[in-house]
Amino acid sequence: QVQLVESGGDLVQPGGSLRLSCAASGFIFSHYAMAWVRQAPGKGLEWVSVISSEAYRTKIADSVKDRFTVSRDNAKDTLYLQMTSLKPDDTAVYYCAKLRGSTWLGDPIRLIDARGQGTQVTISS
C-alpha cells in the first residue's frame, strides 16, 4: 500500500524559509517520478515541482521559480521541497504526490496516482 507522509509545514513570516519532507513507503520509490502540489484556500490543486525517478529532470512552477527547490534521496525514500523567500501567496496545504511513471509529459497533476495527507504552510506576519 502506497504511503506518503509529509512533514515540515509551519507558520512562517514573509521572507522566511521552510523545508518540507515526504517519507514514502509501499512502493519502489526510486522507480517513480514525484511531485509537490499545493492547494490554497478556495483554489484548485496547483503543481509546484516535479522530479524524475533518478532526479535527472526537475521542473519548478513559474510561480515559485528561483525560490523553491525539489530534491530526493532514493536511499532514504524521501522527497524534499526547500522553500525560500516565502510569500503570503504561498500559503496552502502542500501535498507529496507519486506519479505513474519514472518521468512525465505535460501536466503532472494528470499523472498523480497517490497523494499524501498534506502539511499546512502558512505565511503571515
Side-chain angles (χ1 to χ4, degrees), residues 3-62:
Q3 283 198 324
L4 300 168
V5 180
E6 303 93 339
S7 61
D10 204 348
L11 169 63
V12 178
Q13 291 188 342
S17 299
L18 277 176
R19 188 196 198 200
L20 305 184
S21 299
C22 170
S25 62
F27 65 104
I28 303 174
F29 182 72
S30 63
H31 286 191
Y32 293 93
M34 299 292 294
W36 286 99
V37 298
R38 68 184 182 184
Q39 188 162 26
K43 295 187 178 180
L45 206 59
E46 174 193 18
W47 75 269
V48 173
S49 63
V50 195
I51 184 167
S52 63
S53 60
E54 295 291 340
Y56 293 136
R57 183 184 176 207
T58 63
K59 188 172 182 180
I60 304 293
D62 288 342

Side-chain angles (χ1 to χ4, degrees), residues 33-40 43-51 59 61 93 95-101 103-115:
M34 299 292 294
W36 286 99
V37 298
R38 68 184 182 184
Q39 188 162 26
K43 295 187 178 180
L45 206 59
E46 174 193 18
W47 75 269
V48 173
S49 63
V50 195
I51 184 167
K59 188 172 182 180
V93 178
Y95 299 94
C96 167
K98 172 186 171 291
L99 303 191
R100 290 195 186 96
T103 187
W104 72 95
L105 184 65
D107 183 358
I109 288 182
R110 296 185 299 106
L111 301 174
I112 292 173
D113 64 4
R115 195 174 70 177

